[in-house]
Amino acid sequence: VRVRTALELAIDKRALVDKLMFGQAIVGTNELNIGAWQCTTPPSEFNPDQARGLLDQAGWKLGTDGIRSKNGVRLRLKLQGPTGDSLREQVEQVILDEWRAVGVEAYIENAPTAALFGTWESGGVARHGKFDVLIYTTGLPIPDPQSQVETYFASWQIPYTSNKGAGYNYMRWISPTADAAIKTAGGSADFATRRDA
C-alpha cells in the first residue's frame, strides 16, 4: 500500500492537465467524479517528498544510481497502455520521469488493445493480471453507474479460470466494505440509498 500510495503522490496530475491537455480537463478523483452520482473526493496530493518517505518506510532504499532496491531486487515497473494514443504516450513519459525522481525505475511497453484487454482464452494481459501498471480510460458511468462500478470494483468480478475471465476488476482489488456498498446500491431502487452506497 505504501508503494502504491508513493507512486500516486509522485505524479503531478495538475501539471499533466495544464501542460499536456492545455487545461481543458479536470483532475480525475474517482470513477464517479461528474454527474448525478458524483462522489466528492479531493484530488490526490502531489508530494514527492512524502512519496520518498513512504518508499523508505516500505524498505526500498535508494541506491547510488538513484534507483531503489529491497532484498537485492530493483524497484522496476512496467507501465502499459494501448498503443496508438499519442497523448497517453506523452503522459506515460512524464510519469516515468516523475517516478524516477523518487527512485522508481519504470519502462513503457504498450501493446495493441486486443493484446491488453483480450479474452481469457486469448491470454489478455489485463484479465490474467500479467502487468505491473496499466493506464487506460473507461467510459462515463451514465446514466446509471451500477454496472460499471460493480464490474470494476466488486471482488466477485475478478477474472479467474473458474469464471472464464469474466469481470473487469483487473487490479484484483478486494474490499469487504466496497462489496457491501455495491450490493446495497444494486439492491435498492431508492436514488438516495444507492447514491450514498
Side-chain angles (χ1 to χ4, degrees):
V1 171
R2 286 177 289 194
V3 172
R4 289 183 212 154
T5 303
L7 292 172
E8 185 171 0
L9 287 166
I11 300 171
D12 188 349
K13 296 173 199 71
R14 178 80 261 154
L16 288 173
V17 166
D18 290 344
K19 293 177 181 173
L20 296 180
M21 300 168 206
F22 306 102
Q24 298 300 306
I26 60 171
V27 174
T29 57
N30 62 64
E31 287 287 317
L32 304 173
N33 65 344
I34 61 171
W37 301 92
Q38 182 178 13
C39 296
T40 306
T41 307
S44 64
E45 184 181 3
F46 172 57
N47 191 329
D49 290 334
Q50 187 178 354
R52 289 182 194 96
L54 287 169
L55 293 167
D56 287 338
Q57 291 170 23
W60 292 95
K61 301 302 177 195
L62 199 59
T64 56
D65 63 353
I67 302 301
R68 295 173 180 274
S69 63
K70 181 178 180 179
N71 301 324
V73 177
R74 287 171 70 82
L75 185 46
R76 185 169 195 258
L77 301 170
K78 177 169 52 176
L79 176 60
Q80 292 179 279
T83 54
D85 184 327
S86 61
L87 176 57
R88 184 178 294 122
E89 290 167 358
Q90 290 173 347
V91 169
E92 288 172 326
Q93 191 57 58
V94 171
I95 290 172
L96 262 59
D97 293 342
E98 291 176 334
W99 284 349
R100 189 168 206 31
V102 298
V104 177
E105 181 180 41
Y107 64 100
I108 298 167
E109 191 176 289
N110 291 332
T113 301
L116 285 179
F117 303 106
T119 64
W120 185 261
E121 294 78 13
S122 71
V125 170
R127 290 193 189 281
H128 283 270
K130 296 180 181 177
F131 60 88
D132 294 329
V133 181
L134 280 179
I135 181 171
Y136 60 98
T137 59
T138 60
L140 293 174
I142 297 172
D144 187 323
Q146 181 64 30
S147 176
Q148 183 174 358
V149 170
E150 183 173 337
T151 57
Y152 281 95
F153 297 104
S155 64
W156 57 89
Q157 293 293 332
I158 296 173
Y160 290 115
T161 301
S162 59
N163 65 12
K164 296 186 180 10
Y168 295 94
N169 187 345
Y170 300 141
M171 64 208 130
R172 286 149 172 78
W173 184 62
I174 298 172
S175 167
T177 303
D179 282 351
I182 290 167
K183 286 179 181 176
T184 297
S188 175
D190 179 67
F191 177 82
T193 300
R194 296 182 69 225
R195 188 178 184 283
D196 288 348

